[in-house]
Amino acid sequence: MTPTTNGPLKLEGNVEIVTGTGHTVDRTQRTFLCRCGHSANKPFCDGSHKRVGFVG
């Protein structure tokens, strides 16, 4: 897991995103998770951090 400069968290490796009830949302080798809280596609980043001027 690597935080990008003023952007999302970058996850690399065998990644599985699971809901609180155990439902698998995504399985991938790399993904970007929202850190700014403004993504319309949470938990994934949709680039909203650029629009809102997120500073991390």
Side-chain angles (χ1 to χ4, degrees):
M1 181 183 307
T2 308
T4 63
T5 304
N6 299 326
L9 291 174
K10 178 181 177 183
L11 282 100
E12 293 181 292
N14 291 323
V15 177
E16 182 177 35
I17 308 295
V18 181
T19 67
T21 59
H23 174 72
T24 298
V25 176
D26 192 20
R27 285 187 184 139
T28 186
Q29 293 294 310
R30 183 178 65 183
T31 194
F32 295 86
L33 300 180
C34 178
R35 266 199 318 163
C36 74
H38 293 276
S39 176
N41 190 27
K42 290 178 187 135
F44 304 103
C45 176
D46 69 358
S48 293
H49 57 277
K50 294 174 189 173
R51 178 178 45 82
V52 299
F54 174 74
V55 177

